[in-house]
Amino acid sequence: MTRPDTDAALDAYSRVVTAVAADLTPHVAALQVTGPDGRSGAGSAVVVPGDGLLLTNAHVVGRARAGRAVFSDGSETAVDVVGTDPLSDLAVVRATAGAPEPAVLGDAAQLRVGQLVVAVGNPLGLAGSVTAGVVSGLGRSLPTRDGRTARVVEDVIQTDAALNPGNSGGALADSASRVVGINTAVAGWGLGLAVPVNDTTRRIMTTLVRDGRVRRAYLGLVSSPAPLPAPLAERTGRRRGLRVVDVVAGSPADRAGLRPGDLVLEAGRAPVAEAQSLQRLLFAEAVGQPLPVTVYRRGAMVDVIAVPTELTG
């Protein structure tokens, strides 16, 4: 038999999840698309501010130019693909016959590990499914591959909220029903990932709506935030850097001599402490321009020059 204080805690948890589900479900659609090769794709999409705009994953949309969105009240609309950005795994589509009011967008920069989050999507074709969990990690990197092209989705949110096929493109929300992430992948049992909603995401969305694509610079690093060793932290006055977990073969990072295990301290002469710090530097203006990178390697400071290329394919 549970104690009264346990019952009260469970009731409080249930009330939060129930409220978020009620607030968010009307703003999340089941999305179906068909590519030019006849292959179909399915996932979820979130209504965002703009004239009938919905935000989803680039890997859900693929090379499709149109599709259909079905909402929790049974209404549906054709959608046109506005633009995709494979590097962030984000895509924007537009409803041709109107859409519900947009969800409220939050700021993933305010998230903390251990914080309650709620995922809303359409896993396995089950519309309006809701799962809850906590933020398990922040600032992760997700290596992906499309044919022969390798990419790295930076600064993803790790959560233990259950995600299944079809959740991709759905909403990850905080306890105030603000969308703080777009669910992007199922990485393994008990491990889900989401693209954060932050200033960089908003810039990507704006560019997709305006230009249909985001001209992005590409380095090819898989990294994770890491604390600096105590002597280095004392010497530099900084607490964190980016640990290089992997380097995509043949990428600009590989050609510059960056290696797994390196601790990135600076990029473009500015401190780097999270994946977003690096991601902000990798827009169109960085393509083909030398990017100085300072790393800590085996007890020594090492400076390299990487030249980002444009992400294609």
Side-chain angles (χ1 to χ4, degrees):
M1 184 173 183
T2 57
R3 299 193 309 268
D5 58 343
T6 304
D7 291 338
L10 289 173
D11 286 345
Y13 177 86
S14 296
R15 284 195 297 271
V16 171
V17 176
T18 300
V20 174
D23 288 344
L24 206 53
T25 299
H27 309 291
V28 180
L31 183 66
Q32 295 183 325
V33 297
T34 303
D37 58 359
R39 293 183 181 178
S40 60
S44 306
V46 183
V47 184
V48 294
D51 184 16
L53 298 179
L54 292 89
L55 185 62
T56 184
N57 287 147
H59 80 261
V60 169
V61 170
R63 292 174 173 79
R65 302 313 306 163
R68 198 152 199 86
V70 181
F71 298 96
S72 60
D73 63 359
S75 63
E76 57 182 273
T77 176
V79 297
D80 294 323
V81 176
V82 174
T84 63
D85 179 40
L87 187 58
S88 65
D89 197 21
L90 291 174
V92 173
V93 302
R94 190 189 300 275
T96 61
E101 289 296 310
V104 176
L105 299 183
D107 183 5
Q110 304 303 315
L111 289 177
R112 297 294 179 266
V113 173
Q115 183 173 337
L116 171 67
V117 285
V118 179
V120 179
N122 302 278
L124 307 173
L126 303 174
S129 293
V130 177
T131 57
V134 298
V135 175
S136 305
L138 294 166
R140 306 303 197 203
S141 295
L142 173 66
T144 63
R145 182 172 292 275
D146 181 9
R148 296 183 178 179
T149 304
R151 303 186 175 97
V152 180
V153 181
E154 295 284 4
D155 204 25
V156 298
I157 303 164
Q158 178 186 333
T159 175
D160 68 351
L163 301 178
N164 292 290
N167 267 118
S168 287
L172 188 72
D174 63 14
S175 59
S177 304
R178 297 171 297 210
V179 179
V180 292
I182 301 297
N183 300 320
T184 189
V186 183
W189 293 109
L191 176 61
L193 301 172
V195 179
V197 171
N198 52 30
D199 290 342
T200 302
T201 307
R202 287 176 169 85
R203 180 176 177 182
I204 291 168
M205 289 170 54
T206 299
T207 306
L208 287 175
V209 172
R210 185 187 65 220
D211 302 330
R213 64 187 288 262
V214 179
R215 189 169 178 247
R216 300 291 296 269
Y218 170 68
L219 268 183
L221 281 181
V222 181
S223 60
S224 180
L228 270 57
L232 182 61
E234 185 176 352
R235 184 180 4 152
T236 62
R238 301 173 195 159
R239 297 177 57 192
R240 300 178 69 80
L242 276 181
R243 178 74 65 186
V244 178
V245 178
D246 195 11
V247 177
V248 177
S251 68
D254 186 25
R255 291 194 292 271
L258 291 167
R259 307 173 187 170
D262 286 348
L263 189 57
V264 181
L265 304 179
E266 292 185 356
R269 309 300 183 195
V272 172
E274 57 187 18
Q276 194 179 354
S277 304
L278 191 57
Q279 194 177 29
R280 290 192 193 103
L281 301 175
L282 297 177
F283 282 89
E285 56 271 18
V287 175
Q289 299 300 312
L291 179 69
V293 180
T294 301
V295 302
Y296 184 70
R297 177 187 298 165
R298 296 180 180 177
M301 306 288 272
V302 178
D303 292 317
V304 303
I305 300 294
V307 182
T309 57
E310 183 174 359
L311 178 70
T312 58

